[in-house]
Amino acid sequence: MPYKRITLTHFLLEEQRRLGGTGAFTSLMHDIITACKMVSHEVNRGALVGNHGIAGTVNVQGEDQKPLDVLANDIFLHMNALGGNYAAMASEELEDVHSVKGSADGKYLLLFDPLDGSSNIDVNISVGSIFSILKLPEGADPTSADAFLQPGVKQVCAGYALYGSSTMLVLTTGKGVNGFTLDRDVGMFFLTHPDMTIPADTKEFAINASRARFWEPPVKRYVDECLAGKEGPREKDFNMRWIASMVAEVHRILVRGGVFMYPADAENTKKGGKLRLMYEANPMSFIVEQAGGAATTGRQRLMEVQPTNLHQRVPVILGSRNEVERLEAYHREAG
Ligand code: P6P
């Protein structure tokens, strides 16, 4: 019955009542929800309004910005400042911390990748927004990046919006993972994927196989065993996926299991890896762990990495728990 559906706003209010919250959290989530709806609208208009191509600017990562990268970043900065809940924000698209004017009592810090996978925009493949919320530490200076340098276990909330065949918002506040689908006609997200859980085993792995020549031995061993199929040591056939959009990969894993790998390799190890710890790896690790999966650098639980830099990169292996643990064992055996 469509009219028995629960909106995301109702879901958050129920959470607030259950946890005895003050409403600040519900209010700050509302601003993120609005930002995601606005980005979804812009992504879906695509080439009709000149949102393809490049913006002619380069971000702090040294990557060509797409018009939608810039627009999504501006939307997140503006919409999330209005509620006065955040003392400061950090974005993949900004070198430094973005202080929020006039939010003297802001208790939270927001970190986000406003449009992850944006190289897929022009070819109409799913992209997403990733966000992570930390508490502003007591007495910390919100204008300093140091206030943000907290390990992933300190996150109070993490989520992503996936701009795919439907727009979904997937969220955890540390009590499991729930997925919501945007009903454009009503303009609301409705609960469609309650209590998302990742199967512990899988037959599907995701890695950019064009980097095989750079892989470390434990990763090469794992992938070779998957490719060996039934006749190999795993005694089952595997499937491979690579979308080059982390949000889409993680969502597939939440829905049907799998393992996603962007490991350290001979080419990226000097930079620390490819993906960013604070606003890609940490929020996705929180979500994956809350759904019963696991997330590691290969040598350490990702959410226990102590950050040293706002934009630091990190190796990422996450997904079905038994597969991630197998990869960790291979890293240990390799020494
Ligand atoms: P590659 C997108 O740029 C991203 O940060 C992730 O979303 C994605 O998983 C990865 O990089 C893709 O990297 O090297 O395959 O283009």
Side-chain angles (χ1 to χ4, degrees):
M1 267 292 282
Y3 297 103
K4 292 257 189 242
R5 297 185 300 186
I6 299 175
T7 68
L8 175 47
T9 305
H10 284 140
F11 180 88
L12 290 170
L13 286 171
E14 278 173 25
E15 285 274 283
Q16 175 187 310
R17 274 194 290 273
R18 193 161 61 83
L19 303 174
T22 62
F25 186 73
T26 305
S27 154
L28 67 84
M29 271 311 306
H30 183 266
D31 292 342
I32 290 179
I33 292 165
T34 304
C36 291
K37 287 182 198 174
M38 293 170 74
V39 174
S40 172
H41 174 66
E42 292 302 335
V43 166
N44 275 269
R45 298 201 298 170
L48 290 172
V49 289
N51 281 342
H52 282 197
I54 59 171
T57 49
V58 174
N59 68 11
V60 63
Q61 321 292 340
E63 298 160 341
D64 280 334
Q65 287 182 305
K66 309 286 188 305
L68 275 172
D69 283 324
V70 177
L71 185 54
N73 190 56
D74 291 347
I75 289 172
F76 264 79
L77 291 174
H78 176 68
M79 293 315 297
N80 287 296
L82 295 177
N85 294 296
Y86 296 111
M89 303 183 209
S91 166
E92 184 200 46
E93 300 298 331
L94 298 177
E95 171 103 32
D96 300 315
V97 166
H98 177 83
S99 297
V100 183
K101 306 275 179 292
S103 69
D105 58 347
K107 298 182 184 63
Y108 296 95
L109 302 172
L110 176 64
L111 302 98
F112 53 86
D113 180 355
L115 203 63
D116 183 71
S118 54
S119 61
N120 285 321
I121 290 168
D122 291 5
V123 293
N124 205 12
I125 291 174
S126 300
V127 292
S129 302
I130 309 171
F131 59 88
S132 169
I133 300 176
L134 296 167
K135 277 254 173 76
L136 174 67
E138 201 62 43
D141 171 8
T143 64
S144 159
D146 291 349
F148 287 79
L149 300 184
Q150 305 173 41
V153 289
K154 294 285 191 185
Q155 293 173 100
V156 293
C157 172
Y160 60 79
L162 176 59
Y163 312 115
S165 46
S166 63
T167 287
M168 284 195 67
L169 197 144
V170 172
L171 182 66
T172 186
T173 57
K175 308 267 179 312
V177 178
N178 292 282
F180 304 83
T181 302
L182 179 62
D183 181 329
R184 289 190 188 287
D185 297 334
V186 177
M188 306 283 281
F189 281 101
F190 287 89
L191 179 65
T192 50
H193 296 65
D195 195 21
M196 299 182 86
T197 306
I198 300 174
D201 295 300
T202 184
K203 293 183 178 177
E204 198 159 61
F205 68 95
I207 193 166
N208 181 341
S210 72
R211 304 183 63 83
R213 63 188 181 283
F214 301 127
W215 292 341
E216 295 181 333
V219 171
K220 184 160 181 1
R221 173 183 174 189
Y222 178 84
V223 174
D224 285 348
E225 290 181 355
C226 289
L227 296 177
K230 282 196 185 69
E231 289 68 47
R234 301 300 307 274
E235 298 179 322
K236 62 180 179 179
D237 291 337
F238 281 76
N239 191 18
M240 197 201 95
R241 286 284 182 273
W242 190 249
I243 310 176
S245 179
M246 186 186 195
V247 175
E249 313 271 13
V250 169
H251 189 70
R252 184 191 59 247
I253 288 169
L254 274 171
V255 171
R256 68 184 191 210
V259 60
F260 169 87
M261 295 166 275
Y262 213 116
D265 62 33
E267 190 268 341
N268 69 30
T269 195
K270 283 187 281 313
K271 289 184 292 185
K274 159 88 191 250
L275 302 178
R276 293 81 172 182
L277 174 63
M278 297 305 295
Y279 38 77
E280 288 176 336
N282 270 345
M284 290 310 205
S285 299
F286 190 16
I287 292 166
V288 164
E289 286 198 4
Q290 282 292 311
T296 178
T297 64
R299 296 176 172 85
Q300 177 184 14
R301 182 189 177 203
L302 258 167
M303 290 222 288
E304 289 177 351
V305 174
Q306 177 54 51
T308 55
N309 175 289
L310 201 52
H311 298 292
Q312 80 183 64
R313 298 171 189 261
V314 70
V316 177
I317 296 171
L318 57 76
S320 293
R321 176 166 292 281
N322 293 344
E323 296 302 312
V324 173
E325 288 174 356
R326 175 183 289 268
L327 274 149
E328 287 183 309
Y330 290 1
H331 278 78
R332 281 194 300 275
E333 288 165 28

